[in-house]
Amino acid sequence: MTRPFDLVIFDWDGTLFDSVGQIVRSLQAAATQYAQPLTDDAAKSIIGLGLPEVMQTLFPQVPELQNDILQAYSQHYVANSTEDRWFEGIAELLHGLKAQGIQLAVATGKSRKGLDRVLRQTQSEELFVVTRAASETRSKPDPLMLEEILAVTGVPLERALMVGDTSYDLEMAMRLGMPRVGVSYGVHHADVLSTFEPRYIADSVNDLSTWFAQQGCLLESTVTV
């Protein structure tokens, strides 16, 4: 079988990394510190945006406090996320795709500092040919970071795939006309993701691995039962 993709671009939080719960807890801690109302659903809904956009969305009523809340969030997250890890099966999936000659990349709403920290934490710097963080380009759903990844890799648009757990990921790819796959085990539910016409919505990492194997991008032996 001829594989359809030469490059797979992954979102990080909620797609590769099991960090959604800690992000919500850290946003809540920062909001509480500055006496600002915030529900868990609201905190979860903005995961995937760049951090300045997160602050503007969640705390529009106090623009003068947004930088302070951002700093409080970052400090809480760094201090409390040391045990966060990849979702079970992600390491095998990434190494399996790379073994088949597929280039891997990351497009994330994290800052560059935050992304570099978790790349070191997971010892995965060498897995990805290029990474883009929101702090060094435009925030999702603007497709600029995908355009920059394509420029670095030289892979044609139609040979690349975006994989993400939020509407921001899929809208970003849709704006560019890039093939896309959603995962519903992260932030947004399948009914939200389906709005952006993904080729597939995976309910688990194993489901995602099975789909890649069906596309000829992964050996069947990589998929756990």
Side-chain angles (χ1 to χ4, degrees):
M1 179 188 298
T2 302
R3 69 182 187 219
F5 308 112
D6 299 316
L7 169 67
V8 180
I9 306 167
F10 289 95
D11 167 61
W12 189 271
D13 292 304
T15 300
L16 299 179
F17 208 57
D18 190 4
S19 51
V20 171
Q22 187 55 57
I23 291 172
V24 171
R25 288 189 291 273
S26 294
L27 283 169
Q28 285 285 19
T32 298
Q33 182 175 333
Y34 287 91
Q36 297 304 309
L38 181 64
T39 66
D40 283 354
D41 286 344
K44 188 176 180 181
S45 72
I46 51 69
I47 295 174
L49 295 177
L51 288 175
E53 288 75 18
V54 167
M55 296 298 120
Q56 292 161 16
T57 301
L58 293 181
F59 309 108
Q61 69 277 14
V62 284
E64 72 281 3
L65 291 179
Q66 288 172 6
N67 285 337
D68 292 335
I69 298 173
L70 174 54
Q71 290 303 313
Y73 160 77
S74 297
Q75 291 168 6
H76 189 278
Y77 183 79
V78 170
N80 292 277
S81 63
T82 55
E83 299 303 313
D84 287 351
R85 294 290 183 268
W86 276 335
F87 287 105
E88 185 176 354
I90 284 295
E92 293 81 1
L93 170 60
L94 295 176
H95 285 282
L97 290 170
K98 189 165 185 177
Q100 295 304 301
I102 294 173
Q103 297 186 74
L104 305 177
V106 170
T108 179
K110 283 187 173 299
S111 66
R112 170 49 63 182
K113 181 179 179 180
L115 178 59
D116 286 346
R117 182 176 58 80
V118 291
L119 287 170
R120 290 191 300 270
Q121 184 174 328
T122 54
Q123 300 181 331
S124 59
E125 298 100 321
E126 301 303 315
L127 268 176
F128 304 103
V129 295
V130 58
T131 60
R132 278 292 179 272
S135 62
E136 60 196 6
T137 183
R138 294 178 192 155
S139 174
K140 303 171 186 179
D142 190 293
L144 180 60
M145 66 173 70
L146 296 184
E147 294 173 333
E148 292 171 344
I149 289 170
L150 292 177
V152 169
T153 60
V155 174
L157 174 67
E158 66 276 8
R159 299 288 300 175
L161 177 74
M162 178 68 207
V163 180
D165 68 310
T166 72
S167 62
Y168 312 118
D169 299 315
L170 301 192
E171 181 181 349
M172 173 176 66
M174 189 177 188
R175 286 191 188 185
L176 199 58
M178 180 181 288
R180 50 209 171 271
V181 163
V183 300
S184 62
Y185 55 79
V187 170
H188 288 157
H189 297 301
D191 56 346
V192 175
L193 300 175
S194 65
T195 305
F196 300 93
E197 302 175 2
R199 295 196 175 187
Y200 188 68
I201 298 176
D203 295 326
S204 65
V205 175
N206 190 66
D207 191 15
L208 181 62
S209 297
T210 298
W211 183 83
F212 272 119
Q214 291 169 346
Q215 308 309 304
C217 298
L218 197 66
L219 294 178
E220 293 282 354
S221 59
T222 308
V223 182
T224 59
V225 178

